[in-house]
């Protein structure tokens, strides 16, 4: 953790400062709600980054784990009268179990086959939520889901609760990335054959990443359920999974910070499109899907590594160039001094 803070101390400090001041800079309840939704999405995308960027797996079913977590906590609190905190714990455990079972079942799949398997899982979960009407409320959904009693459950307290969870998830993921486990993940991402030859249990590490990602999505889903107070199956389908995927790819699949920054960018672009649709007649429907698809295509074509890794690469090249110029200047200065001395 000490090495982590030394490396990311300045960036982490900026992140914390922006997180704290945002509700006061944007005191309107609407913008606070935007900040809350972005935070909920960030928890999911950081987990997805672990699966895609580190373990090298493609998941199109992340919204399914999000939905399982949401409905788990909602059912336990509304139908069985349990505390929302108990519901939130269960919202991490239950999706984690589903991720473990799914991960074991698809352990031998790669590439497009893995993507199709996770896509099918997402459809199965959404259909199951819709059809299991006695428990989930079916297409009509659930209402009267209690708020989390965190400092009164106000909009501001919910904002800080969710971003506190984001911060914990971020620190855990960054620490994991720079640990022995993270090095094993990076080896798997580059070459599974080479990783296996070095004695790394590829299947085990992939499964672990998948389970952790499912748990993160589940926690986010539970918080989403208690924040919204109502649930229906619509937000937990393929559209949302592709949105999560877009956030990670834009920010940079191999960067935890990239997943967070990509989520923030897409979150504000999405809200901007909603506001624009209210001003421009006819700009309705799936315009966000078209815009996000276009952004994704451009990123894949011109910046396949993602935004944050590209910025980091440009910065490192500039620093290297500056250091080289300084070294050349120092050498030339030494020559002049020697010449003057002789």
């Amino acid at each position: 953790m000490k090495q982590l803070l030394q490396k990311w101390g300045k960036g982490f400090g900026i992140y914390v400062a922006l997180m704290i001041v945002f509700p006061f800079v944007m005191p309107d309840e609407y913008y606070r709600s935007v900040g809350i939704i972005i935070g909920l999405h960030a928890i999911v995308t950081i987990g997805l980054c672990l699966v895609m960027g580190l373990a090298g797996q493609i998941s199109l079913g992340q919204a399914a784990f999000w939905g399982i977590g949401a409905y788990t906590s909602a059912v336990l609190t509304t139908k069985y009268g349990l505390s929302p905190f108990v519901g939130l714990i269960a919202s991490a455990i239950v999706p984690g179990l589903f991720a473990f079972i799914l991960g074991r079942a698809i352990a031998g799949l790669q590439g497009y086959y893995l993507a199709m398997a996770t896509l099918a899982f997402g459809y199965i979960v959404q259909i199951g939520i819709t059809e299991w009407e006695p428990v989930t409320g079916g297409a009509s959904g659930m209402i009267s889901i209690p708020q989390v009693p965190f400092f009164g459950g106000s909009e501001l307290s919910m904002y800080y609760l969710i971003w506190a969870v984001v911060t914990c998830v971020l620190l855990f993921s960054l620490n994991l990335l720079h640990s022995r486990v993270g090095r094993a993940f990076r080896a798997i991402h580059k070459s599974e054959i080479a990783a296996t030859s070095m004695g790394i249990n590829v299947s085990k590490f992939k499964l672990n990443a998948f389970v952790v990602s499912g748990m993160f999505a589940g926690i986010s889903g539970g918080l989403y359920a208690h924040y919204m107070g109502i649930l229906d199956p619509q937000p937990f389908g393929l559209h949302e999974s592709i949105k999560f995927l877009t956030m990670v790819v834009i920010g940079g699949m191999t960067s935890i910070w990239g997943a967070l920054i990509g989520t923030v960018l897409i979150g504000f672009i999405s809200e901007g499109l909603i506001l624009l649709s209210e001003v421009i007649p006819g700009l309705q429907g799936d315009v966000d899907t078209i815009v996000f698809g276009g952004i994704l295509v451009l990123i894949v074509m011109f910046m396949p590594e993602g935004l944050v890794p590209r910025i980091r690469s440009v910065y490192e090249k500039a620093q290297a160039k500056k250091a080289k110029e300084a070294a050349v200047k120092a050498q030339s200065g030494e020559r002049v001094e020697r010449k003057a001395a002789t």
Side-chain angles (χ1 to χ4, degrees):
M1 183 63 74
K2 187 178 179 181
Q3 291 178 344
L4 187 66
L5 290 175
Q6 286 175 349
K7 183 173 183 179
W8 293 107
K10 190 180 292 185
F12 189 76
I14 294 171
Y15 156 75
V16 171
L18 290 173
M19 178 193 69
I20 292 172
V21 304
F22 178 80
F24 302 102
V25 175
M26 300 288 190
D28 190 278
E29 291 290 323
Y30 171 77
Y31 290 106
R32 284 183 185 175
S33 68
V34 171
I36 288 172
I37 296 300
I38 289 173
L40 291 169
H41 287 170
I43 299 170
V44 182
T45 54
I46 290 171
L48 185 57
C49 181
L50 294 178
V51 170
M52 294 181 61
L54 298 186
Q57 296 174 291
I58 300 173
S59 177
L60 293 177
Q62 211 66 12
F65 296 117
W66 198 41
I68 292 170
Y71 273 92
T72 296
S73 194
V75 168
L76 289 177
T77 52
T78 57
K79 295 188 179 292
Y80 296 98
L82 297 178
S83 165
F85 291 110
V86 175
L88 288 174
I89 294 170
S91 72
I93 295 172
V94 174
L97 289 173
F98 272 91
F100 178 80
I101 295 168
L102 179 64
R104 289 294 296 270
I106 63 175
L109 300 179
Q110 292 181 345
Y112 300 117
Y113 298 105
L114 178 63
M116 286 190 288
T118 55
L119 176 63
F121 173 73
Y123 275 119
I124 290 168
V125 169
Q126 191 175 34
I127 292 169
I129 291 172
T130 305
E131 297 300 324
W132 202 7
E133 194 167 340
V135 176
T136 64
S140 300
M142 301 180 69
I143 60 172
S144 303
I145 302 169
Q147 289 185 327
V148 179
F150 181 74
F151 290 101
S154 67
E155 190 91 2
L156 184 62
S157 63
M158 198 65 183
Y159 169 87
Y160 282 121
L161 171 62
I162 288 168
W163 278 95
V165 175
V166 175
T167 304
C168 291
V169 167
L170 181 66
L171 286 173
F172 173 86
S173 302
L174 287 172
N175 192 49
L176 181 69
L177 179 65
H178 294 90
S179 68
R180 182 182 63 83
V181 176
R183 289 192 291 273
F185 275 133
R186 287 197 293 274
I188 293 169
H189 181 75
K190 288 182 179 178
S191 173
E192 291 187 20
I193 296 172
T196 304
S197 68
M198 291 188 292
I200 297 172
N201 190 333
V202 174
S203 299
K204 178 184 174 182
F205 278 98
K206 280 187 172 184
L207 181 61
N208 289 343
F210 205 67
V211 171
V212 170
S213 176
M215 291 179 73
F216 284 175
I219 293 169
S220 174
L223 289 167
Y224 174 81
H226 292 292
Y227 170 65
M228 298 299 292
I230 58 172
L231 278 182
D232 67 84
Q234 191 273 330
F236 308 114
L238 176 63
H239 179 274
E240 206 67 23
S241 289
I242 292 175
K243 191 173 178 181
F244 291 142
L245 184 70
T246 305
M247 291 171 178
V248 173
V249 173
I250 286 174
M253 286 190 293
T254 58
S255 170
I256 302 296
W257 286 107
L260 178 61
I261 291 170
T263 304
V264 173
L265 287 175
I266 291 296
F268 280 111
I269 290 171
S270 181
E271 292 303 319
L273 289 172
I274 291 171
L275 295 175
L276 198 63
S277 66
E278 295 175 359
V279 176
I280 302 175
L283 194 64
Q284 305 288 338
D286 295 331
V287 65
D288 58 337
T289 305
I290 297 169
V291 171
F292 295 151
I295 293 172
L296 187 60
V297 169
L298 291 174
I299 288 289
V300 170
M301 288 175 62
F302 301 107
M303 205 184 294
E305 72 274 32
L307 189 61
V308 170
R310 173 60 68 87
I311 292 172
R312 186 187 300 144
S313 175
V314 170
Y315 174 77
E316 288 174 353
K317 284 180 181 177
Q319 291 295 104
K321 185 179 179 182
K322 191 182 291 185
K324 188 177 179 181
E325 289 174 353
V328 170
K329 190 180 288 186
Q331 286 177 357
S332 62
E334 287 175 5
R335 288 196 209 99
V336 170
E337 288 177 4
R338 286 197 202 109
K339 206 171 190 181
T342 56

